[in-house]
């Protein structure tokens, strides 16, 4: 049983930055792949970034250079640093964790990029 709690979302102006956090808790053994997906209104959910248990990151090609994923294994937390935000980044952002083939999801945190 794993719980994921996201934080850090909110309203930001274009060009601004936000840092999302996702803290994992529960009955876990070892370290697992974690990451982020997002879903904008009217759109399908899309891949944002993922990071392995050893800290190897992957970011969606369209987001490279603006988004950075990292993790702190001591705190069981994954981060998503979002810079140079654009209105099209507006979405609900969902954290996930893989335990083998099973995926756990956070509740989502809203990011709105608007003037």
């Amino acid at each position: 049983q794993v719980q994921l709690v996201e934080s850090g979302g909110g309203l930001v102006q274009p060009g601004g930055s936000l840092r999302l956090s996702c803290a994992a808790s529960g009955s876990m053994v070892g370290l697992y792949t974690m990451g982020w997906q997002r879903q904008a209104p009217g759109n399908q959910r899309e891949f944002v970034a993922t990071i392995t248990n050893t800290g190897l990151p992957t970011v969606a090609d369209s987001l490279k250079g603006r988004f950075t994923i990292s993790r702190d294994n001591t705190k069981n937390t994954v981060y998503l640093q979002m810079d140079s935000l654009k209105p099209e980044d507006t979405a609900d952002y969902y954290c996930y964790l893989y335990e083998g083939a099973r995926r756990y999801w956070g509740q989502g945190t809203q990011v709105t990029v608007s003037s």
Side-chain angles (χ1 to χ4, degrees):
Q1 190 176 21
V2 176
Q3 296 84 42
L4 301 174
V5 179
E6 297 140 318
S7 62
L11 175 65
V12 65
Q13 291 190 328
S17 297
L18 284 174
R19 189 193 192 197
L20 306 183
S21 299
C22 176
S25 63
S27 181
M28 297 183 297
V29 177
L31 303 173
Y32 303 92
T33 294
M34 300 180 69
W36 297 87
Q37 292 188 353
R38 69 183 185 182
Q39 187 168 22
N43 290 0
Q44 293 184 324
R45 191 170 297 187
E46 64 176 344
F47 170 77
V48 173
T50 189
I51 187 166
T52 69
N53 61 332
T54 59
L56 183 65
T58 301
V59 178
D61 287 341
S62 62
L63 302 177
K64 288 180 179 177
R66 297 194 300 117
F67 285 25
T68 304
I69 188 170
S70 62
R71 68 189 297 162
D72 184 341
N73 290 333
T74 301
K75 300 179 179 179
N76 292 323
T77 299
V78 64
Y79 304 96
L80 184 67
Q81 178 67 43
M82 304 183 294
D83 298 319
S84 301
L85 284 164
K86 305 174 181 179
E88 52 262 43
D89 295 319
T90 296
D92 291 333
Y93 285 73
Y94 297 89
C95 172
Y96 63 83
L97 179 151
Y98 275 110
E99 183 181 17
R102 184 172 182 178
R103 194 196 299 216
Y104 297 88
W105 292 96
Q107 81 286 351
T109 185
Q110 292 183 342
V111 173
T112 302
V113 184
S114 176
S115 298

